[in-house]
Amino acid sequence: SFITSVSRGKDRRSGLILTIPLCTEQTSMEELSSTLDYLLGIPSDKCKARGFTVIVDGRKSQWNIVKTVVLMLQNVIPAEVSLVCVVKPDEFWDKKVTHFCFWKEKDRLGFEVILVSANKLTRYIEPCQLTDEFGGSLVYDHMDWVNKRLVFEKFTKESTSLLDELVVINESEKSNQLDKERPPDCNFLPSFDPETVLQTGHELLSELQQRRFNGSEGGGGAWSPMDDELLAQPQVMKLLDSLREQYTKYQEVCRQRSKRSQLEEIQTKVMQVVNWLEGPGTEQLRTQWGIGDSIRASQALQQKHEEIESQHSEWFAVYVELNQQIAALLSAGDEEDLVELKGLQQQLSDVCYRQASQLESRQNVLQSAHEFHSTAQDLSQQLDGLLGMLCADVAPADGAAIQQTLKHLEEKLKSVGTLTLAGLREKGQVLMDQMSNQTSWSYGKDVPIENKENIDHIQGVMEDMQLRKQRCEDMVDVRRLKMLQMVQLFKCEEDASQAVEWLGELLDALLKTHIRLGDDSLETKVLLEKHKKFVDVAQSTYDYGRQLLQATVVLCQSLRCTTRSSGDTLPRLNRVWKQFTVTSEERVHRLEMACSFHTAAEKVDQGNLSAEVEQETYEEVEMVGKALLDRLTVPVIFPDGSEQYFGSPGDMASSAEHIRDKMKLVEDRKLTLFKFI
């Protein structure tokens, strides 16, 4: 309902001017009394000693309210008030105040009270000390003064409370450092933010100093410093100095707390990592010692190990983060923390590196186990394939196919023996070495037993593969012998067929080229000798073919090839040989007849025979000549009834013509001889 203020204006005695504006509404005397008490508590005692001039602005209020306020001043500030100026309305109160005169009550009130119009106040107070509402020129913003006053009082209250709290916190921290066993009170924090309070204080001090500077210049529209502002500056400065001192200590306390909290947090996390790695992590690896008995089993173990590694990776990530934090603290830590931090770092590193080494070793074992099982499976499949080849019936078309099959079989056996089996032994040895080294960081007492079982399994697989490979080698030896016999069988059959062809060629040559009978007995005898040799060659060819066919029978019996025989080779051989024999005999008969014919003819030509003998010789030439001519016209009849002539008809005609010519010569000689007789 009113705004009571102490402006920077002063009366003629240099006393402060207190303005109490009243309004038409009801005024609370209790509030007014409290406000006056508050305002009168602000100036210094020296300022109060000069007294107050109170201006009661009653222009908008009632007389009874004004009178009540004036009388109240007697109870609130009688000693400090020297003059009370009641600003009255221009005409309203003239008849109301006659029954009460304040000047008559001066002794009882303790101060002088005058009723005055607003335009008459300058008689008692200089215009420059009055605000514009009373016709003066004094610049005063009461709301601004109230806001600044509230800021000052808020700062004073908060800074004083904060200062007390910081002192308590700092002293408590000092006691904690002296008594290491005493648990620190880390939850005790100041009620106000020190930075905010300090900033508010600095802004307030800057404002007060700025007002003082402007007031000293005496600017017309600027503030002049009041006594309460002059008194506030050293108070604010003192509070700020104390706050800065305690806040600096508090920052060190916070730093120590933060460092201690960080160290405790690191210790907790380190123990979490160590406890998990040495507890559940170790337990996981303790239960994983198998290597599986197949590729599928080893892959399942690898998948399980990857899950274990994934869980370990999360803790290893925490280890890396903790190691970085510890390194940062070591680079900026106090001497008293270095030993503890290094101990934590060493413990953490030892556990993590040991666990990582165990994981890597286990991973290497599983990788080697997978390679071992993979090689064993490949070898088993190759041995199965080789065994299938060995168990299959061999029915090649010819010897070349057998040779190719045998070569492929031996290459397959060599690949299994020198490459796959050797690789299996190498991988098995690597795996056993890794498992033997693994026992050096074993977790439990059952590890050697489990390793022995795994090693026995590895050796068992290698021995089984060796036995299977040996069986295949034995079967390959048997198959090699059988296939070589089959090669011999095909070779014998092929050579026997070749003998038949050769014998057929000899027969063909005998019929087509062996047609000459000789021009005389000597030549005929030579032809007989050549024919014998020719027959010997044919006989050898026939015998060779027979031997080959006999060997074929023996090989078939050895190979148990009941379905295989010499086929038509033997009948063909016998048929050609019989044809050759018949033809050869016919050739011999013709040559012998030719030899007899030429011998008789030559006797006639010699002419030293007796008449009787010569007559017989003529008859022999004629008889043999005719028989030979008849023989030349007869074909060779083979056992199967087929016929074949020697040479061509022209060849036979030429031979017959030669014989006839010779018979004619003998006949002419005979006629000549008997004519002379």
Side-chain angles (χ1 to χ4, degrees), residues 209-451:
Q209 291 174 345
Q210 184 66 27
R211 289 171 182 271
R212 183 176 182 181
F213 175 76
N214 291 337
S216 64
E217 289 182 349
W223 271 81
S224 293
M226 289 171 39
D227 288 347
D228 62 318
E229 296 173 344
L230 295 175
L231 292 173
Q233 291 186 38
Q235 186 177 357
V236 172
M237 292 177 64
K238 183 178 180 181
L239 286 172
L240 285 174
D241 291 341
S242 299
L243 273 177
R244 279 193 290 267
E245 179 183 358
Q246 292 300 325
Y247 182 51
T248 301
K249 295 180 180 179
Y250 174 72
Q251 286 179 316
E252 178 63 22
V253 169
C254 291
R255 191 184 71 81
Q256 292 295 333
R257 283 183 180 179
S258 176
K259 184 182 69 174
R260 186 166 56 248
S261 175
Q262 189 175 7
L263 183 59
E264 292 174 354
E265 182 181 359
I266 288 176
Q267 288 176 335
T268 301
K269 290 183 178 180
V270 167
M271 294 313 301
Q272 287 177 348
V273 175
V274 171
N275 291 337
W276 189 90
L277 291 179
E278 292 183 344
T282 298
E283 185 63 26
Q284 287 179 347
L285 286 177
R286 180 183 294 126
T287 58
Q288 297 294 314
W289 278 95
I291 60 173
D293 56 359
S294 63
I295 295 179
R296 184 185 299 274
S298 64
Q299 287 175 342
L301 290 173
Q302 281 185 321
Q303 184 176 0
K304 179 63 178 177
H305 184 73
E306 289 175 359
E307 295 175 359
I308 295 175
E309 282 186 332
S310 177
Q311 296 181 26
H312 279 74
S313 297
E314 297 177 1
W315 291 99
F316 287 154
V318 177
Y319 156 69
V320 173
E321 181 181 354
L322 286 175
N323 200 35
Q324 293 175 351
Q325 293 178 3
I326 293 175
L329 290 177
L330 285 174
S331 62
D334 298 331
E335 289 293 333
E336 60 183 13
D337 299 329
L338 292 180
V339 176
E340 184 176 2
L341 286 172
K342 287 183 178 179
L344 287 173
Q345 188 180 45
Q346 188 64 41
Q347 180 185 13
L348 184 63
S349 297
D350 290 345
V351 174
C352 289
Y353 278 116
R354 183 170 63 251
Q355 198 77 355
S357 176
Q358 295 167 2
L359 286 170
E360 182 181 6
S361 180
R362 175 61 178 166
Q363 176 62 34
N364 292 337
V365 168
L366 290 176
Q367 182 64 34
S368 298
H370 182 271
E371 293 177 358
F372 174 78
H373 291 310
S374 178
T375 305
Q377 179 174 299
D378 292 342
L379 178 57
S380 179
Q381 292 175 352
Q382 291 184 24
L383 289 173
D384 289 341
L386 182 59
L387 185 62
M389 293 175 60
L390 293 171
C391 293
D393 292 334
V394 180
D398 51 32
I402 294 178
Q403 292 283 4
Q404 185 66 27
T405 303
L406 182 59
K407 180 180 179 182
H408 178 66
L409 194 63
E410 291 179 343
E411 289 177 352
K412 188 79 172 177
L413 180 63
K414 182 179 180 181
S415 174
V416 170
T418 60
L419 299 178
T420 312
L421 185 58
L424 181 67
R425 292 197 188 100
E426 180 181 355
K427 289 180 172 57
Q429 188 61 47
V430 169
L431 180 56
M432 289 189 291
D433 293 341
Q434 289 177 342
M435 298 187 69
S436 299
N437 295 332
Q438 199 175 16
T439 58
S440 62
W441 47 264
S442 59
Y443 298 105
K445 59 183 179 181
D446 296 332
V447 170
I449 298 177
E450 294 179 357
N451 268 345

Side-chain angles (χ1 to χ4, degrees), residues 52 97 202 221 249 389 496 559 606 661:
F52 290 91
V97 299
H202 284 299
K249 295 180 180 179
M389 293 175 60
L559 294 172
Q606 290 176 359
D661 290 342

Side-chain angles (χ1 to χ4, degrees), residues 613-646:
V613 173
E614 189 171 2
Q615 180 63 32
E616 294 177 355
T617 302
Y618 285 143
E619 293 176 355
E620 181 181 0
V621 170
E622 183 177 1
M623 180 185 65
V624 174
K626 290 181 178 180
L628 182 58
L629 288 175
D630 294 337
R631 194 86 179 191
L632 289 177
T633 60
V634 177
V636 179
I637 301 174
F638 296 142
D640 59 356
S642 60
E643 299 177 353
Q644 183 71 36
Y645 288 94
F646 278 98

Side-chain angles (χ1 to χ4, degrees), residues 596-625 663 666-667 669-670 673-674:
S596 297
F597 173 75
H598 288 305
T599 300
E602 289 172 356
K603 287 180 180 182
V604 173
D605 290 339
Q606 290 176 359
N608 55 359
L609 298 176
S610 62
E612 182 180 358
V613 173
E614 189 171 2
Q615 180 63 32
E616 294 177 355
T617 302
Y618 285 143
E619 293 176 355
E620 181 181 0
V621 170
E622 183 177 1
M623 180 185 65
V624 174
M663 288 177 65
V666 171
E667 181 67 25
R669 183 175 178 81
K670 176 183 176 183
L673 178 62
F674 282 107

Side-chain angles (χ1 to χ4, degrees), residues 489-656:
L489 174 61
F490 277 108
K491 181 64 176 174
C492 289
E493 291 178 346
E494 181 181 353
D495 290 348
S497 297
Q498 185 67 46
V500 174
E501 292 179 4
W502 288 343
L503 196 58
E505 291 175 356
L506 290 175
L507 174 61
D508 189 62
L510 179 60
L511 288 171
K512 292 182 180 180
T513 61
H514 292 211
I515 55 176
R516 285 182 52 79
L517 297 177
D519 294 336
D520 51 34
S521 61
L522 182 61
E523 184 179 0
T524 302
K525 291 178 180 179
V526 171
L527 290 175
L528 275 171
E529 290 296 326
K530 288 183 178 180
H531 179 70
K532 289 180 181 180
K533 293 180 180 180
F534 186 77
V535 171
D536 291 340
V537 172
Q539 182 68 49
S540 299
T541 303
Y542 171 72
D543 293 340
Y544 177 64
R546 292 281 298 183
Q547 292 173 359
L548 289 175
L549 291 175
Q550 290 176 357
T552 300
V553 173
V554 174
L555 289 173
C556 285
Q557 292 175 350
S558 176
L559 294 172
R560 297 179 182 178
C561 298
T562 56
T563 59
R564 191 177 185 89
S565 63
S566 59
D568 63 343
T569 306
L570 181 58
R572 287 174 51 228
L573 179 64
N574 290 329
R575 182 174 63 253
V576 174
W577 176 246
K578 289 179 179 179
Q579 291 176 350
F580 183 86
T581 301
V582 171
T583 305
S584 175
E585 290 176 354
E586 178 65 24
R587 173 66 174 168
V588 170
H589 290 325
R590 292 187 181 188
L591 287 175
E592 288 178 348
M593 291 177 68
C595 184
S596 297
F597 173 75
H598 288 305
T599 300
E602 289 172 356
K603 287 180 180 182
V604 173
D605 290 339
Q606 290 176 359
N608 55 359
L609 298 176
S610 62
E612 182 180 358
V613 173
E614 189 171 2
Q615 180 63 32
E616 294 177 355
T617 302
Y618 285 143
E619 293 176 355
E620 181 181 0
V621 170
E622 183 177 1
M623 180 185 65
V624 174
K626 290 181 178 180
L628 182 58
L629 288 175
D630 294 337
R631 194 86 179 191
L632 289 177
T633 60
V634 177
V636 179
I637 301 174
F638 296 142
D640 59 356
S642 60
E643 299 177 353
Q644 183 71 36
Y645 288 94
F646 278 98
S648 63
D651 294 334
M652 292 298 99
S654 176
S655 296

